[in-house]
Amino acid sequence: MKETIRVVNGKAKAKPDPNALGFGSYFTDHMFMMDYSNEQGWHDPRIVPYAPLQLDPAAMVLHYGQAVFEGLKAYRAEDGRVLLFRPGRNAARFNLSNERLTMPQMDESDFIEAVKALVAVDAGWVPELPGASLYIRPFIIATEAALGVRPSSRYLFVIILSPVGSYYGQGMKPVDIYVEDRYVRAVRGGLGVAKTPANYASSLKAQELAKREHYDQVLWLDAVESRYIEEVGSMNVFFRINGEFVTPLLSGSILDGVTRSSIIELINAWGYEVSERRIAIDEVYRAHAEGTLQEVFGTGTAAVVAPVGSLCWNGERIEIGRGEAGEMAARLYETLTGIQYGRLPDEFGWTVTCLE
Ligand SMILES: *Cc1c(COP(=O)(O)O)cnc(C)c1O
């Protein structure tokens, strides 16, 4: 970073019960902030007490939605070190998202330096309980006060931290999925490739309707033919059919997950192929009818691997794996979390030491 990060220390809050963290309910003592203007570029990097933001009511993010976020975790290893998992991938994707939303680029090394500096200040918040971690949420919003429709000339970059519990309390519980054929999440040429709040806003309605019918998540189909599978909830999705691993090709409306690419590399390293190709929902149903649909699972930073136990499409429900996580889903989960927490050797060079 060109300027040194200014640190203003805040009061230490009472820590929550480590056994009841949940996801994204508690926030640490500090946050990172940095401003951008067209004239000055990025400036005034600072770590300050966690507090509400002051925004002009005309701030462009509130009206035209210029915003991008990232999500990664800091993991406490058994030897006390704090590890990050492939933060360079998040930094690169952050820039890709920003590019799509006409927002400024940031040096990848500055992004990582900001994350490390903030985690160092709030290191006491990195949970020690197995499976728990410190979720890191960097985001950027357009702050110029103006209502004309054009890209903002000012932005605010913020990082907040949230201690989160293990996604799986008692083992991996497969999720029930509704295959959404009315609403779409993203279209090719739209914002699907960017990690931006708009994609989440467009997903909420289908998600709520599915929840009401007691499904956990929806499976998103492509917006043109309502046929090709894109993502599951806010995760990428994998299928194992007759021994072949398949995941949808990054076709322009799918987010390029860090977990997705790590899972592909792991499966390859184990000697299996992964086909990145279009996969239709009717192909999945046909495989199920023929008895060759072995596993379905989602992948993402929050859950790492989420096995799918059932799908419902066109009024027809199919079950996968008899209520248990598939063999490969379980093996991938154990291996990836093993690397993330430093329990297993990191042959890929994925982990980055954040604090010794
Ligand atoms: C963040 C996200 C993912 C998962 O990405 P990871 O980098 O693996 O956490 C998948 N799909 C969507 C829509 C996302 O926003």
Side-chain angles (χ1 to χ4, degrees), residues 22-41:
F23 183 83
S25 305
Y26 302 98
F27 299 95
T28 67
D29 298 329
H30 297 87
M31 59 187 184
F32 178 92
M33 296 214 273
M34 182 158 64
D35 299 306
Y36 180 93
S37 67
N38 283 358
E39 311 79 54
Q40 285 178 275

Side-chain angles (χ1 to χ4, degrees), residues 93 185 195 200 231 234-236 255 257-259 299-301:
R93 187 171 65 192
R185 187 192 83 89
K195 208 164 175 78
Y200 284 73
E231 301 202 41
S234 47
M235 289 181 286
N236 296 114
L255 194 91
V258 179
T259 319
T299 69
T301 295

Side-chain angles (χ1 to χ4, degrees), residues 75 77-78 83 85 266 304 331-346 351:
Y75 308 86
E78 272 164 21
L83 305 174
F85 185 74
L266 270 179
V304 186
R331 185 174 168 201
L332 286 162
Y333 177 81
E334 283 308 316
T335 308
L336 209 50
T337 54
I339 295 171
Q340 289 167 336
Y341 286 88
R343 286 191 306 269
L344 293 177
D346 174 19
T351 54

Side-chain angles (χ1 to χ4, degrees), residues 251-268:
S251 58
S253 49
I254 294 174
L255 194 91
D256 184 359
V258 179
T259 319
R260 175 186 183 277
S261 69
S262 309
I263 294 259
I264 291 174
E265 286 186 56
L266 270 179
I267 295 175
N268 285 336

